């Protein structure tokens, strides 16, 4: 069974190779079949391996397999080896299963696109890299997967390459994540040089033995790894690439920029939790960054009018929740929210993709409307997704996952009231902007007519994801509702349990509060966007709204601080000032030539004079010697 | 008989040489330059005579005759070249014949 | 003897190709490929032989040449030179293949020059006699001068002159240093010899060592190239024909790196230690400055040339950190940079054959018409920026880890180079293959010959990225020998071991 673990990343990579080499020669059907079935096989394999794994718990904590010896230089050794434990199992499941649904959807979505084989090749490469990332045994191999998904993200954001803006968005994503990656690789260096190994288990063990909690090296390393996580997960201050990444096709946004790649940061922090436990300052920073990000993104989402950009900011915000959970030590809550978020966010993106496609590439929600009646299936699935996002009480999975985080933000040992307040405001904003989306895009009168109805390949995945968005939460019920901890029991095999403190409040008080807030948000959205739109419309032209729409002007700031100086710096010395050394020498040579050739003036008497003087000098010298 | 010391004799020849040299450097007309060269030759011959006289050997006089012969030839060729130059440049000014100069 | 045969085959091939070119140009090309292939097969056979643990030299061949002056024909092969030789022959064949359609005039003479350069390069990698080394060093120059000057692009005369004068001048400085070393050794031991193995461990005072080392350094720093002595490179690379650029970037630059590893560190252990901080600083400056310049260029070839400056900065950075991890990284960097930058030059050449311009502002959107070319451009740009899974990542990782051991600051600064590399590599892809079309080109995608060449390079670079183990195994004995010599000598001269570059990170030891 353990050896099958190595197959899990291998199969999509094989799919990539086949499609890359033979894609243009295959028929559309063949391409679709290969692309989808490779992920389907892996999903099946994951489920089978997962069941076997769960059955062997708690005895066997992980499956490991070494495929080949990768690097062996001096005492730097790293292998291509994979290990499956509870954490990676959850991630694998999400990646493969949601990935499979998205691939099925893509066959319909990209049906008329000329880059059909290229798309599936890249998607397979992405899934393969992501699986390498979560299954890697050592941190260097994880870095390979990390960069691999960055590459695929670049390729897929800029998929419609003929439009230059897509290329720029892709470049922006790659460069910003690379900045984070560079911080991460320095952190990896420190880890290797301190412990002599890249193996994650080994590092975690040695770190807990050798490093003192709060020591500067632990803080530095944790901060560097956090840098990498911030880049990939689009959190403050590296969050500016994600809204622009919406230039890619919707399945890409669903898979990469909602469900999987952007959660790689969450995975990294969860995986190296020992380090963060050793650096409480950094862990507190994670919580604060998460809280700030979720607020900033929430406000920004409220001001967007591009459907996908709302969802992008929503993703940034929800990952902020996950970071908040990680920051207070609520490990399994973070992973739970990751899974549920993958379900409803992928659903929302796929549904949004359908809407945009059907309305002939219309992205502006103010030009949509009335879709409730025209596309009922899409409407209902979108509604379920938004409800889950808003954490509609009791019936949606989002409620249970977000609840856990909110509860732990105040009840965990490392939690605090401020964090909870941030979370609850964020919940309010989430409900507000999600239902703003629904009310503006799906209700009211239709301003653009749908040109066709989506086929079954695009609808079935939506329905499945909608079901998961509702029922997926029931595997982890809090004490008030049944105390069913299937999920956290699984994850707690790898991650530590959340340490809580006595707050004196009851959980049900907070749950009611958040339920109330969510419902208030929905009602307020109904009032100001549907019933009396004049209220919201008056706000749209205000400076504050424009500020929110531009993502709190981070782009302008970075442009001013980094981009413009870099471009200026590179332009001023374009011809390389060091060349003056050469130009100087050649000018000197030419100058001395000109000077000396003045002595060759063709005049006979001049030559005679110079002989005479020369002879005189030599004679004088000889006489004087 | 008045014997002049050898040093004075050679000095005399040296002054003659220098006069010839100065004439060569100063004059612009090429015929005068040739004449100055003649003077320099003669001064060299004079040195030989002085030496022969000093060492009481006839070799000095022999050398002088050599020099006379060479001078004759040199003058002949020199004047022939001068004629060609005159035909070509219509002038005997040494300074104006500077086509071999290096710069422009 | 086989080492002499390797060089002889190339020389014979050179003359035969020149003569054959008079009748039929195709024969010139075929003869060149045959000569290079014979050598490639020979060297691969040698590589597969198991190495005797007794000596790290796989083959050692010595003949007396001019015994009165201590000059001998001393050729030797160890792991480092073996890898370089494989790279040379492989890329030599590729160079001939890519100039199939590009070079149409004086074809015989072209291949004569090409093979002569190859012979010079092989000689440089093989000679262990300093005089012979210098002989081959200069032999590389003149045919390259002709290559650029006759078959190059618009500004070829100026570029070839610049290249020749620069390299020649630095070579002469090295020659003075060689003679100085000859005399210093002779004075101290009484035996006057140019033989490398006997010159190892020459006792010299610190200042003499520094002076002589600077002479050698002059040549290697110019060749590598290291800022501020790098200005010959953009011009030479831009104006050379594709095969010339390939050989320049992939092979000639590596002779500089080879010189550092083979001569500077073993012959002058104390002096190189003194120079080390400056060397590392120059490396970092090269990485960042080269990247900065690269980003600003509008001539495609010039852009790639500056990326060479940037990548070779990693080499000198690694060499002066004196540990095995960094040295393995340096060797992998030499190989993978040769392949990836070589491939980029090949792409530029293929593009130039089709659209006759190198101006980036006139390109754009070419993926649509030439997807294979686009894909290859993508792969090699990713290699350039150090994407894991390709050879350059392994190289840069090892060098950065090794340098981290020696100097944290330098390593962190060099890591900024990773970000800079991303910026210029993505610019290449965006400007050439993506976006709107800026010129009305109707180009064909690559034909079979061109595809084979690029596919071969692609396979090698991916292979290096995922299976670098053979390279490490072959290089290990040679590197250990280099570091050993250094450590032994420094130990003997009384410098404490802690100064051998192991200035490790202290901050965590203190706070423990």
């Amino acid at each position: 069974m353990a050896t099958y673990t190595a197959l899990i990343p291998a199969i999509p990579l094989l799919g990539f190779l086949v499609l890359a080499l033979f894609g243009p020669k295959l028929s559309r059907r063949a391409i679709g079949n290969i692309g989808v079935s490779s992920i389907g096989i892996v999903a099946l394999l994951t489920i089978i391996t997962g069941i076997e794994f769960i059955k062997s718990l708690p005895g066997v904590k992980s499956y490991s397999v070494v495929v080949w010896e990768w690097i062996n230089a001096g005492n730097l050794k790293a292998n291509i080896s994979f290990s499956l434990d509870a954490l990676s199992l959850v991630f694998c499941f999400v990646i493969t299963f949601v990935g499979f649904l998205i691939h099925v959807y893509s066959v319909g979505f990209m049906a008329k696109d000329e880059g059909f084989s290229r798309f599936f090749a890249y998607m397979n490469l992405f899934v393969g890299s992501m699986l390498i990332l979560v299954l890697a045994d050592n941190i260097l191999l994880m870095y390979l997967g990390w960069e691999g998904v960055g590459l695929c993200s670049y390729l897929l954001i800029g998929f419609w390459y003929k439009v230059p803006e897509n290329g720029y968005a892709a470049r922006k994503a790659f460069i910003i994540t690379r900045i984070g990656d560079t911080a991460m690789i320095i952190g990896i260096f420190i880890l290797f040089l301190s412990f002599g190994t890249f193996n994650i288990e080994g590092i975690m063990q040695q770190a807990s033995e050798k490093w003192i909690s709060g020591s500067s090296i632990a803080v530095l390393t944790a901060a560097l790894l956090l840098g990498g996580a911030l880049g990939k997960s689009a959190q403050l201050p590296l969050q500016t690439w994600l809204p622009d990444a919406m230039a890619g096709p919707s399945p890409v946004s669903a898979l990469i920029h909602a469900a999987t790649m952007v959660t790689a940061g969450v995975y990294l922090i969860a995986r190296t939790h020992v380090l963060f436990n050793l650096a409480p300052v950094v862990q507190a920073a994670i919580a604060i960054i998460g809280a700030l990000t979720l607020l900033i993104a929430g406000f920004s989402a409220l001001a967007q009018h591009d459907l996908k950009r709302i969802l992008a900011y929503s993703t940034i915000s929800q990952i902020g929740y996950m970071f908040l959970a990680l920051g207070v030590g609520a490990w399994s809550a973070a992973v739970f929210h990751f899974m549920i978020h993958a379900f409803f966010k992928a659903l929302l993106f796929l549904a949004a993709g359908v809407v945009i496609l059907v309305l002939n590439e219309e992205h502006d929600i103010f030009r949509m409307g009335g879709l409730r009646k025209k596309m009922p299936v899409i409407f209902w699935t979108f509604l379920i997704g938004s409800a889950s996002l808003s954490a509609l009480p009791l019936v949606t999975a989002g409620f249970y996952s977000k609840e856990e985080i909110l509860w732990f933000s105040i009840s965990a040992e490392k939690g605090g009231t401020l964090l909870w307040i941030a979370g609850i405001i964020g919940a309010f904003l989430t409900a507000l902007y999600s239902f703003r989306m629904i009310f503006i895009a799906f209700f009211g009168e239709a301003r653009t007519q749908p040109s066709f109805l989506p086929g079954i390949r695009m609808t079935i995945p939506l329905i499945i994801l909608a079901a998961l968005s509702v029922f997926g939460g029931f595997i982890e019920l809090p004490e008030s509702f049944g105390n069913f901890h299937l999920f956290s029991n699984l994850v707690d095999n790898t991650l530590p349990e959340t340490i809580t403190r006595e707050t004196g409040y009851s959980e049900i008080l907070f749950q009611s509060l958040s339920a109330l807030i969510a419902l208030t948000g929905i009602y307020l959205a109904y009032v100001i966007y549907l019933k009396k739109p004049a209220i919201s419309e008056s706000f749209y032209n205000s400076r504050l709204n424009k500020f929110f729409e531009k993502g709190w002007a981070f782009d302008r700031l970075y442009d001013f601080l980094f981009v413009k100086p870099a471009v200026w710096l590179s332009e001023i010395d374009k011809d390389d000032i060091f060349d003056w050394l050469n130009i100087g020498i050649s000018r000197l040579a030419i100058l001395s030539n000109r000077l000396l050739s003045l002595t060759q003036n063709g005049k006979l008497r001049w030559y005679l004079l110079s002989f005479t003087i020369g002879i005189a000098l030599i004679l004088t010298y000889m006489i004087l010697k | 008989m008045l014997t002049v010391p050898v040093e004075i004799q050679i000095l005399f020849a040296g002054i003659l040489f220098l006069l010839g040299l100065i004439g060569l450097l100063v004059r612009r007309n090429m015929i005068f330059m040739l004449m100055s060269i003649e003077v320099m030759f003669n001064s060299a011959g004079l040195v030989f005579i002085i030496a022969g006289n000093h060492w009481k050997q006839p070799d000095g006089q022999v050398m002088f005759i050599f020099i006379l012969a060479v001078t004759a030839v040199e003058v002949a060729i020199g004047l022939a070249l001068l004629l060609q130059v005159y035909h070509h440049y219509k002038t005997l000014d040494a300074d104006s014949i500077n086509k071999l100069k290096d710069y422009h | 003897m086989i080492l002499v045969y390797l060089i002889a085959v190339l020389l014979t091939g050179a003359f035969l190709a020149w003569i054959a070119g008079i009748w039929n140009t195709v024969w010139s090309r075929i003869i060149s490929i045959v000569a290079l292939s014979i050598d490639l097969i020979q060297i691969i056979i040698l590589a597969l032989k198991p190495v005797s643990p007794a000596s790290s030299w796989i083959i050692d061949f010595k003949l007396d040449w001019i015994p009165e002056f201590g000059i001998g024909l001393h050729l030797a092969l160890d792991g480092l030179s073996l890898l370089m030789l494989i790279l040379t022959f492989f890329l030599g064949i590729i160079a001939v293949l890519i100039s199939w359609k590009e070079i149409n005039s004086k074809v015989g003479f072209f291949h004569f020059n090409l093979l002569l350069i190859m012979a010079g390069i092989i000689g440089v990698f093989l000679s262990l006699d300093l005089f012979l080394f210098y002989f081959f060093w200069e032999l590389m120059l003149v045919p390259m001068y002709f290559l650029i000057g006759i078959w190059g692009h618009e500004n070829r005369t100026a570029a070839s002159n610049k290249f020749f004068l620069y390299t020649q001048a630095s070579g002469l400085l090295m020659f003075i240093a060689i003679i100085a070393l000859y005399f210093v050794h002779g004075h101290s031991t009484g035996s006057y010899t140019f033989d490398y193995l006997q010159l190892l461990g020459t006792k010299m005072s610190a200042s003499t060592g520094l002076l002589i080392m600077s002479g050698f350094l002059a040549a290697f720093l110019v060749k590598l190239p290291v800022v501020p002595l790098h200005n010959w490179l953009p011009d030479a690379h831009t104006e050379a024909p594709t095969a010339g650029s390939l050989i320049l970037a992939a092979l000639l630059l590596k002779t500089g790196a080879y010189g550092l590893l083979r001569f500077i560190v073993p012959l002058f252990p104390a002096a190189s230690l003194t120079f080390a901080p400056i060397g590392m600083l120059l490396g970092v400056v090269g990485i960042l400055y080269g990247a900065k310049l690269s980003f600003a260029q509008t001539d495609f070839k010039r852009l790639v040339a500056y990326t060479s400056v940037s990548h070779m900065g990693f080499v000198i950075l690694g060499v002066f950190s004196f540990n095995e991890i960094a040295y393995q990284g340096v060797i992998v960097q030499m190989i993978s940079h040769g392949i990836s930058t070589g491939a980029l030059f090949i792409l530029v050449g293929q593009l130039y054959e089709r659209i006759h311009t190198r101006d980036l502002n006139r390109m754009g959107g070419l993926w649509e018409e030439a997807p294979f070319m686009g894909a290859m451009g993508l792969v090699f740009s990713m290699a350039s920026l150090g994407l894991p899974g390709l050879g350059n990542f392994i190289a840069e990782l090892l060098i950065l880890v090794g340098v981290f051991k020696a100097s944290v600051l330098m390593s962190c600064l060099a890591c900024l180079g990773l970000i800079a590399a991303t910026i210029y590599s993505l610019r290449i892809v965006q400007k050439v293959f993506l976006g709107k079309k800026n010129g009305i080109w109707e180009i064909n995608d690559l034909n079979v010959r061109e595809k084979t060449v690029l596919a071969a390079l692609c396979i090698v670079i991916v292979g290096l990225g995922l299976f670098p183990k053979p390279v490490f195994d072959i290089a290990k004995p040679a590197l250990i020998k280099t570091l050993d010599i250094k450590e032994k000598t420094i130990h003997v001269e009384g410098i404490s071991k802690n100064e051998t570059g192991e200035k490790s990170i202290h901050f965590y030891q203190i706070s423990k």
Side-chain angles (χ1 to χ4, degrees), chain C residues 117-304:
Chain C
I117 300 176
M118 291 284 139
I121 296 176
I122 305 294
V124 162
F125 285 138
L126 287 176
S127 4
L128 277 195
D129 180 289
L130 286 185
F131 193 84
L132 189 66
F133 173 76
Y134 184 73
F135 171 79
F136 281 117
W137 187 265
E138 295 296 309
L139 182 63
M140 292 191 301
L141 280 193
V142 177
M144 195 77 226
Y145 173 79
F146 284 128
L147 219 62
I148 303 177
I150 302 181
W151 292 277
H153 301 300
E154 315 78 40
N155 276 336
R156 55 185 183 271
T157 328
S160 59
N161 284 337
K162 200 171 180 181
F163 161 72
F164 188 81
L165 288 172
Y166 235 117
T167 334
Q168 175 84 302
S170 60
L172 283 170
L173 283 171
M174 178 169 78
F175 193 47
I176 297 176
I178 291 177
I179 296 184
L181 186 61
Y182 171 78
F183 278 117
V184 165
H185 181 83
H187 282 322
S188 67
T189 61
S191 78
Y192 285 83
T193 171
F194 279 100
D195 190 77
Y196 171 78
L197 291 174
Q198 291 177 30
L199 284 173
L200 284 176
T202 311
K203 294 216 188 334
M204 40 189 151
S205 70
S207 49
T208 323
L210 258 177
L211 269 175
I212 302 184
M213 187 185 79
S214 323
F216 276 92
L217 266 182
F220 298 138
L221 293 185
V222 165
K223 232 2 189 273
L224 200 60
V226 166
V227 177
L229 302 170
H230 64 282
N231 289 102
W232 61 273
L233 186 128
D235 293 315
H237 273 129
T238 316
E239 305 301 334
T242 314
S245 298
L246 175 64
I247 295 180
L248 257 178
L251 300 172
L252 249 56
L253 301 190
K254 310 304 176 285
T255 57
Y258 171 84
L260 285 178
L261 281 174
R262 176 72 82 216
F263 294 104
I264 303 278
V265 175
L267 284 175
F268 311 103
S272 53
L273 200 60
T274 325
F275 185 73
I278 306 178
M280 288 208 274
L281 184 68
L282 285 176
V284 170
V285 169
I287 296 174
L288 296 175
Y289 191 65
K292 176 194 97 73
L293 283 170
S294 177
F295 180 65
Q297 302 302 317
T298 49
D299 181 328
F300 195 175
K301 228 169 172 182
R302 221 178 157 83
L303 194 154
V304 181

Side-chain angles (χ1 to χ4, degrees), chain A residues 32 53 55 101 104 115-116 123 244 288 326 350 387 391 425 457 475 496 576 602 608 615:
Chain A
F53 179 75
K55 280 204 289 203
L101 293 174
V104 172
F116 198 70
M123 290 288 265
D244 289 342
I288 298 174
L326 292 170
L350 294 182
I425 298 178
R457 270 191 291 248
I475 58 174
D576 198 355
L608 288 169
I615 294 174

Side-chain angles (χ1 to χ4, degrees), chain C residues 405-432:
Chain C
K405 266 187 171 177
S407 162
V408 176
L409 175 66
M410 292 295 160
S411 190
C412 290
L413 285 176
C415 283
L416 290 178
L418 292 177
I419 303 177
T422 316
I423 298 178
Y424 65 66
S425 300
L426 291 182
R427 181 161 185 262
I428 295 177
V429 179
Q430 181 72 24
K431 274 261 169 185
V432 178

Side-chain angles (χ1 to χ4, degrees), chain A residues 333-378:
Chain A
V335 182
F336 186 46
H337 193 58
F338 147 73
M339 188 171 81
I340 304 297
H341 171 262
F343 295 148
F344 62 68
K345 199 41 79 57
L347 166 61
L348 284 170
F349 268 112
L350 294 182
V354 174
V355 168
I356 292 172
L357 195 66
V358 157
L359 295 180
N360 285 328
E361 296 300 322
E362 183 55 70
H363 286 247
D364 191 333
I365 51 176
F366 291 105
R367 287 206 273 270
M368 300 178 186
L371 295 169
R372 177 165 60 109
K373 301 205 183 72
K374 308 263 177 184
M375 300 191 294
V377 178
I378 309 294

Side-chain angles (χ1 to χ4, degrees), chain C residues 421-481:
Chain C
T422 316
I423 298 178
Y424 65 66
S425 300
L426 291 182
R427 181 161 185 262
I428 295 177
V429 179
Q430 181 72 24
K431 274 261 169 185
V432 178
F433 296 111
L434 309 179
K436 274 204 300 273
K437 288 198 198 175
N438 282 322
I440 315 168
W441 312 116
E442 253 189 54
I443 59 175
N444 301 321
D445 204 355
L446 307 174
N447 61 34
V448 178
R449 167 183 61 92
E450 294 166 327
K451 274 194 191 159
T452 334
V453 164
L454 284 175
L457 291 171
C458 194
I459 294 175
V460 174
I461 198 88
V462 173
L464 256 183
L466 295 176
F467 308 100
K469 208 164 163 297
V471 172
F472 295 136
D473 291 337
I474 295 181
K476 201 173 160 95
L479 290 177
I480 295 199
K481 174 184 45 142

Side-chain angles (χ1 to χ4, degrees), chain A residues 68 70 161 217 569 573 576 582, chain C residues 230-231 289 435 465-466 508:
Chain A
W68 77 76
W70 189 20
Y161 59 82
I217 192 171
L569 195 67
D573 191 25
D576 198 355
N582 308 318
Chain C
H230 64 282
N231 289 102
Y289 191 65
L466 295 176
Y508 68 86

Side-chain angles (χ1 to χ4, degrees), chain A residues 597 600-602 605 609 612, chain B residues 25-27 95 101-103:
Chain A
S597 63
Q600 291 280 86
N601 55 12
R605 299 196 300 142
L609 183 62
T612 319
Chain B
L25 291 174
V26 164
R27 303 298 309 231
D95 279 351
K101 74 173 181 216
D102 206 10
Y103 57 91

